[in-house]
Amino acid sequence: MAFNFDIFCTVVDNFGDIGVTWRLARQLHDEGHGPVRLWVDDLASFARICPTLDPSRETQCEQGITIQHWHADADLAPAKVVIEAFACELPAPYKARMQAITPPPAWLNLEYLSAEPWVEGCHALPSPQGRLNKFFFFPGFTDKTGGLLCEQSLMARRAAWQADEAGLAAYWGGLGLPPPAPGELRISLFAYESAAIPSLVEAWRRGACPVTLLVPVGRALPQVLNALGVAAAVPGDRITDGALTVVVLPMTDQAGYDRLLWSCDLNIVRGEDSFVRAQWAARPFLWHIYPQEEDYHLVKLEAFLDRYLASHPKPQAEWIKGLMLALNRGESCEELWQTWDDWQASWLEQAPKWPTALLAGGDLVTRLVKFLETKI
């Protein structure tokens, strides 16, 4: 069954909201589920991850998706499926049109990702809104949730990339780097500010093995530079101190960021979008979750770790959990990092098993389409 979609996104900060909705829009279009119109209130921020976008245009087409600048008075005919991302409030005139048309559209609120058990009980529940029902669609890690965004071709493309030694060498060359030397560790860092970051920089700087740290321009970069006594840096700069070399990268599009994750030995990621993509990379990763009041983000982190680490040997699981909690609590990671070599190989062996298990029940778009077929 073919649909057409309106997806609404308010860009709050940090590219997470637009990152998720942009991936969702492209996958729905690319996998043949129907035309997609993506409504975005902040086109300038969107352009940071979609460089060909023109923020001055009200309507434009990017990769087959209609991009519509979202205004509060938006009054266009609704699509057959209306998705509001992360509880953003639809424009009043648009909602009035939804209530008036027959048959009414399917209306979903795409919720934030959580591994907490209560999500299973709330997924797909309706909320009456006049003559319409709005359904809550929860991404998640079990068959009783909406699953995770993952293009159907992604696992094959990632595996091919990681097996292509010549291609990897060309990729590193494009960043001005040689292929990794024996024993060298390559780490990507895309995190929020954390008091733990200087301790990691110090551990890498003083370590026995060479570390190349690839840092896209963003919130964590000033902390890395400050820890090394460097006032400022721009994309393309390279700073070496002890065993650590920092390479500053520009912001990239989503395909470029995927390739970075696939290429590194360890990825330190943040929020929701880069967190999910790090899992598909099948490499060790540390998740810096978005801080919330009363440290509720730590509850969400531990709920995820309970699932993610369930199949890991207990000593390894305790070490990974300790390192992630220290990063998120802003505690020193230096002592924990000293045992990285003890766990690296076994973690790398475990990492590909996790995405395979997650996708056994289908990706988010597959589950979303099956749900819509019961409502339209």
Side-chain angles (χ1 to χ4, degrees):
M1 181 184 294
F3 306 97
N4 63 313
F5 297 85
D6 273 336
I7 304 174
F8 286 82
C9 174
T10 299
V11 181
V12 180
D13 62 3
N14 305 319
F15 311 106
D17 304 75
I18 186 57
V20 170
T21 51
W22 181 222
R23 288 193 194 276
L24 173 61
R26 294 204 317 275
Q27 188 178 350
L28 287 167
H29 170 269
D30 293 348
E31 295 180 4
H33 298 297
V36 181
R37 181 168 54 183
L38 177 59
W39 297 73
V40 183
D41 65 338
D42 181 357
L43 295 178
S45 292
F46 186 7
R48 297 282 303 279
I49 62 170
C50 182
T52 56
L53 190 76
D54 182 352
S56 69
R57 296 180 62 186
E58 290 296 299
T59 305
Q60 58 199 290
C61 185
E62 283 292 330
Q63 300 179 42
I65 311 301
T66 298
I67 309 298
Q68 182 72 43
H69 192 193
W70 173 7
H71 300 287
D73 58 353
D75 191 15
L76 297 179
K80 186 181 291 188
V81 180
V82 178
I83 300 175
E84 56 182 41
F86 314 121
C88 64
E89 185 65 28
L90 297 180
Y94 184 95
K95 280 203 292 188
R97 280 180 173 258
M98 288 171 61
Q99 295 284 353
I101 61 177
T102 301
W107 184 7
L108 289 83
N109 178 27
L110 179 65
E111 292 283 354
Y112 286 104
L113 172 62
S114 177
E116 295 167 280
W118 63 264
V119 166
E120 294 184 336
C122 295
H123 174 61
L125 288 182
S127 172
Q129 308 281 323
R131 65 187 287 263
L132 299 178
N133 277 326
K134 177 167 67 173
F135 293 91
F136 296 96
F137 200 89
F138 280 85
F141 297 89
T142 73
D143 288 344
K144 296 180 180 179
T145 69
L148 300 173
L149 276 173
C150 182
E151 310 90 283
Q152 292 185 11
S153 65
L154 184 69
M155 294 298 100
R157 289 189 286 114
R158 184 264 299 162
W161 176 274
Q162 292 176 338
D164 183 1
E165 292 186 10
L168 283 166
Y171 173 75
W172 292 123
L175 297 179
L177 294 168
E184 179 187 352
L185 190 63
R186 294 206 165 160
I187 302 173
S188 76
L189 173 64
F190 186 60
Y192 305 116
E193 299 90 343
S194 169
I197 289 176
S199 70
L200 283 168
V201 171
E202 184 66 11
W204 297 327
R205 187 183 70 80
R206 294 162 55 94
C209 73
V211 173
T212 299
L213 181 67
L214 298 117
V215 190
V217 170
R219 293 172 59 172
L221 178 59
Q223 282 192 290
V224 172
L225 298 177
N226 186 63
L228 296 173
V230 176
V234 298
D237 284 353
R238 193 178 309 180
I239 304 123
T240 298
D241 188 336
L244 174 64
T245 297
V246 174
V247 179
V248 181
L249 302 179
M251 282 289 292
T252 183
D253 61 11
Q254 291 181 321
Y257 186 63
D258 280 338
R259 292 191 288 269
L260 177 66
L261 295 174
W262 299 346
S263 304
C264 288
D265 302 296
L266 171 68
N267 295 299
I268 304 176
V269 296
R270 72 186 200 192
E272 180 171 327
D273 182 54
S274 58
F275 165 53
V276 172
R277 304 310 281 196
Q279 293 171 69
W280 300 147
R283 292 286 167 86
F285 70 92
L286 301 176
W287 180 27
H288 193 195
I289 189 170
Y290 188 78
Q292 293 179 291
E293 292 183 0
E294 299 181 357
D295 287 341
Y296 186 69
H297 59 293
L298 298 180
V299 175
K300 297 176 71 173
L301 174 62
E302 294 207 50
F304 167 72
L305 290 172
D306 286 345
R307 296 188 187 279
Y308 178 66
L309 298 176
S311 61
H312 288 241
K314 187 175 180 180
Q316 176 178 295
E318 290 178 347
W319 177 81
I320 295 171
K321 183 175 182 177
L323 192 55
M324 284 213 208
L325 285 172
L327 173 64
N328 283 276
R329 289 171 176 161
E331 300 168 351
S332 175
C333 299
E334 192 167 358
E335 184 175 344
L336 282 162
W337 183 261
Q338 303 311 316
T339 54
W340 162 262
D341 287 341
D342 296 342
W343 308 114
Q344 177 184 7
S346 57
W347 194 358
L348 181 60
E349 183 180 347
Q350 287 277 345
K353 301 175 184 177
W354 175 247
T356 300
L358 288 179
L359 292 171
D363 63 280
L364 186 144
V365 164
T366 298
R367 299 186 198 193
L368 174 65
V369 169
K370 286 181 179 179
F371 176 77
L372 290 172
E373 287 172 348
T374 70
K375 303 301 176 188
I376 295 180

